[in-house]
């Protein structure tokens, strides 16, 4: 089912996504939280073709002192929220299955930074799914915030020429070790479910030998079915259920709704949450502290399997099977 019926020459608009991210741990101890979250929906294909992102100057009026001193959003200069294309997919060369790093670098010679990002994204989609999208490639990205870049995960959605979602790429960062990994999939239109073995250590409280089950929904946001202009952005829900031999361990994901990225929407968003990157880092380490120090969830070493971990040892002691 197509997202919208438009010609292949019409780009999806840049969007600002607001919603929530959730984390529901079931094993070995229960721990849950839900937080508001924001993604910048940057149409990377449109940027590479010469379209621009909005340049949003200082707030006209704001209770936040920081908003009155810095440009709010920019892809050209330092700002409270800055889109820097070099922040994304830069380590793909070292992870490429093609082992043709020099060829990839040579192709990026002479391209501007937006075109180079577009080229890298085409290449990583091809490497991880066997093909590249034929239409737009939209990034759900965390941008630099007050000079700091930090993102647990960025998502890239690929479309065909009828704007039907066909590809998904997740650029995952493991915060304690500062490494990145890519999961790429082909989509079945607006709704897709798929499973695969985990192959990247993210949480210091989860073993490596686990199963990921993805549930991906990408569809239109419809304001009014009677209006001629139905497309007011996209709705994106990406949920990941994580399990192992113990059963369901963790349920996590995002649910976001997009609106056009305009001066007004950017100002409103940053006035409500001007320092999301900093609060995200703080929350990650705060919840890690609660898991380890308060809820006594054993730490798991990098790439350690459940059978070799303290979590398994502790569980066996509880049941008396370690005698």
């Amino acid at each position: 089912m197509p997202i919208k019926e438009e010609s292949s020459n019409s780009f999806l608009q840049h969007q600002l996504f607001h919603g929530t991210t959730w984390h529901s741990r079931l094993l070995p101890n229960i721990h849950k939280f839900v937080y508001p979250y924001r993604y910048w929906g940057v149409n990377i294909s449109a940027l590479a073709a010469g379209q621009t992102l909005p340049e949003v100057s200082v707030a006209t009026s704001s209770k936040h002192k920081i908003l009155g001193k810095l440009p709010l959003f920019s892809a050209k200069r330092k700002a409270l929220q800055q889109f820097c294309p070099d922040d994304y997919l830069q380590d793909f060369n070292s992870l490429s299955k093609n082992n043709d790093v020099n060829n990839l670098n040579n192709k990026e010679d002479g391209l501007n930074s937006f075109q180079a990002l577009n080229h890298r994204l085409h290449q990583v989609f091809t490497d991880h799914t066997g093909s590249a999208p034929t239409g737009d490639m939209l990034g759900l990205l965390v941008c630099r915030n007050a000079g700091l870049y930090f993102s647990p995960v960025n998502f890239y959605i690929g479309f065909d020429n009828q704007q039907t979602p066909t590809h998904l790429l997740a650029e995952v960062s493991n915060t304690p070790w500062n490494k990145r990994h890519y999961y790429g999939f082909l989509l079945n239109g607006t709704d897709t479910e798929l499973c695969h073995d985990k192959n990247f250590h993210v949480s210091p409280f989860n073993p490596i030998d686990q199963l990921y089950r993805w549930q991906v929904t990408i569809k239109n946001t419809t304001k009014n079915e009677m209006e001629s202009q139905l497309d007011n952005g996209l709705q994106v829900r990406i949920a990941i259920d994580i399990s192992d031999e113990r059963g369901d361990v963790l349920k996590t994901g995002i649910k976001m709704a997009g609106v056009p990225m305009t001066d007004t929407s950017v100002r409103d968003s940053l006035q409500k949450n001007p320092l999301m990157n900093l609060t995200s880092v703080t929350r990650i380490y705060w919840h890690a502290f609660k898991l380890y120090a308060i809820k006594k969830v054993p730490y798991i070493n990098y790439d350690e399997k459940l059978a070799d971990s303290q979590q398994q040892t502790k569980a066996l002691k509880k049941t008396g099977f370690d005698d």
Side-chain angles (χ1 to χ4, degrees), residues 49-66:
Q51 292 194 13
T52 61
L53 287 165
E55 293 287 316
V56 184
S57 60
V58 296
T60 54
S61 63
S62 174
K63 297 179 182 179
H64 297 280
K65 292 183 179 180
I66 191 171

Side-chain angles (χ1 to χ4, degrees), residues 4 6 10-17 40-44 46 51-54 136-139 159 163 220-221 229-234 258-262:
K4 62 179 181 177
E6 290 190 357
S10 178
F11 288 109
L12 284 169
Q13 60 193 336
H14 301 302
Q15 298 172 48
L16 192 52
F17 285 87
W40 299 83
V42 177
N43 188 331
I44 296 166
Q51 292 194 13
T52 61
L53 287 165
D136 288 355
M137 297 187 297
L138 183 75
F159 299 84
Q163 302 299 9
N220 281 328
T221 298
Q229 181 65 30
L230 298 181
D231 181 21
N232 190 44
L234 296 175
V259 297
M261 193 186 300
T262 64

Side-chain angles (χ1 to χ4, degrees), residues 1-51:
M1 176 175 148
I3 286 291
K4 62 179 181 177
E5 295 180 359
E6 290 190 357
S7 70
S8 59
N9 294 324
S10 178
F11 288 109
L12 284 169
Q13 60 193 336
H14 301 302
Q15 298 172 48
L16 192 52
F17 285 87
H18 296 98
T20 57
T21 179
W22 69 87
H23 180 113
S24 180
R25 177 174 289 277
L26 306 175
L27 292 172
N29 293 326
I30 294 176
H31 184 70
K32 301 180 180 182
F33 60 81
V34 178
Y35 287 125
Y37 207 67
R38 173 178 60 222
Y39 273 116
W40 299 83
V42 177
N43 188 331
I44 296 166
S45 303
L47 286 181
Q51 292 194 13

Side-chain angles (χ1 to χ4, degrees), residues 124-137:
V124 72
F125 266 129
T126 301
D127 255 28
H128 287 270
T129 70
S131 64
T134 57
D136 288 355
M137 297 187 297

Side-chain angles (χ1 to χ4, degrees), residues 280-299:
S280 293
V281 174
T282 303
R283 284 168 174 168
I284 285 174
Y285 282 101
W286 167 241
H287 285 287
F289 171 78
K290 289 177 70 175
L291 281 172
Y292 185 74
I294 300 174
K295 298 194 174 182
K296 306 300 181 182
V297 176
Y299 182 92

Side-chain angles (χ1 to χ4, degrees), residues 35-142:
Y35 287 125
Y37 207 67
R38 173 178 60 222
Y39 273 116
W40 299 83
V42 177
N43 188 331
I44 296 166
S45 303
L47 286 181
Q51 292 194 13
T52 61
L53 287 165
E55 293 287 316
V56 184
S57 60
V58 296
T60 54
S61 63
S62 174
K63 297 179 182 179
H64 297 280
K65 292 183 179 180
I66 191 171
L67 297 187
K69 297 185 178 295
L70 280 175
L72 294 187
F73 182 81
S74 178
K76 300 177 180 178
R77 55 180 176 159
K78 291 183 179 180
L80 179 66
Q81 198 79 53
Q82 183 182 5
F83 173 70
C84 298
D86 290 344
D87 286 335
Y88 311 102
L89 308 178
Q90 276 291 4
D91 60 343
F92 168 64
N93 292 351
S94 63
L95 301 174
S96 175
K97 298 176 184 177
N98 289 339
N99 294 320
D100 195 6
V101 176
N102 290 332
N103 185 48
L104 181 63
N105 289 337
N106 290 338
K107 286 183 178 179
E108 290 192 8
D109 288 346
L111 302 179
N112 65 40
S113 58
F114 301 140
Q115 292 168 337
L117 174 58
N118 185 70
H119 177 76
R120 291 196 301 276
L121 187 50
H122 267 278
Q123 187 62 52
V124 72
F125 266 129
T126 301
D127 255 28
H128 287 270
T129 70
S131 64
T134 57
D136 288 355
M137 297 187 297
L138 183 75
L140 271 64
L141 309 174
V142 176

Side-chain angles (χ1 to χ4, degrees), residues 22-33 205-206 210 213 240-244 246-252 291 295 297 311 318:
W22 69 87
H23 180 113
S24 180
R25 177 174 289 277
L26 306 175
L27 292 172
N29 293 326
I30 294 176
H31 184 70
K32 301 180 180 182
F33 60 81
F205 302 101
N206 281 349
Q210 293 186 313
R213 182 167 68 90
I240 307 173
D241 294 347
I242 304 172
S243 61
D244 56 32
R246 297 170 292 180
D248 291 334
V249 175
L250 181 66
K251 297 178 182 293
T252 186
L291 281 172
K295 298 194 174 182
V297 176
Q311 283 189 17
K318 282 185 178 180

